[in-house]
Amino acid sequence: MIFIAVRFTVHADRADEWLDLVADFTAATRAEPGNLFFDWSRSVEDPNQFVLLEAFADGDAGAAHVQSDHFKAGLDSMAEAIASTPEIINVEIPEAQGWGAMAELSPKRPA
């Protein structure tokens, strides 16, 4: 599995429209056969910062994503809204296929 985390800092006057701006890119990426997840979060400490967590089944799926027309179009639309170059973590996790259950925590029902 290829796991990628990207932190985007957006111009303050564009932050409230960011998720709409990336909506088509998000939908197209989620529809890719090798995409495992593609999830956006907004920082609770900095409303101009968004984090994207994404994963692809393997290197071929990741390469297909980067070569897609919607990837290029998504970057073009994001470039006008970002305030700085995004920060990225990109790692390969052998034999993983997405999210797993957390061993240290499970739900409890009130007594």
Side-chain angles (χ1 to χ4, degrees):
M1 175 178 87
I2 306 299
F3 174 76
I4 303 164
V6 187
R7 185 166 41 197
F8 296 84
T9 301
V10 179
H11 290 292
D13 63 335
R14 304 292 303 271
D16 286 339
E17 67 183 82
W18 179 257
L19 294 176
D20 289 334
L21 177 74
V22 299
D24 290 343
F25 173 56
T26 299
T29 301
R30 288 176 175 166
E32 293 176 20
N35 179 258
L36 301 176
F37 56 86
F38 197 85
D39 298 326
W40 290 97
S41 297
R42 191 172 193 176
S43 172
V44 296
E45 296 174 358
D46 181 350
N48 301 327
Q49 197 168 79
F50 294 83
V51 173
L52 172 61
L53 299 180
E54 57 186 305
F56 297 89
D58 54 32
D60 290 341
H65 170 63
V66 172
Q67 295 166 6
S68 70
D69 289 339
H70 60 266
F71 181 83
K72 294 168 189 142
L75 294 187
D76 284 344
S77 64
M78 287 186 263
E80 296 179 7
I82 59 173
S84 61
T85 301
E87 301 168 287
I88 189 168
I89 298 169
N90 184 328
V91 296
E92 185 172 350
I93 306 171
E95 300 180 27
Q97 287 300 310
W99 294 98
M102 182 178 175
E104 299 84 3
L105 183 64
S106 59
K108 289 184 182 178
R109 306 256 333 165

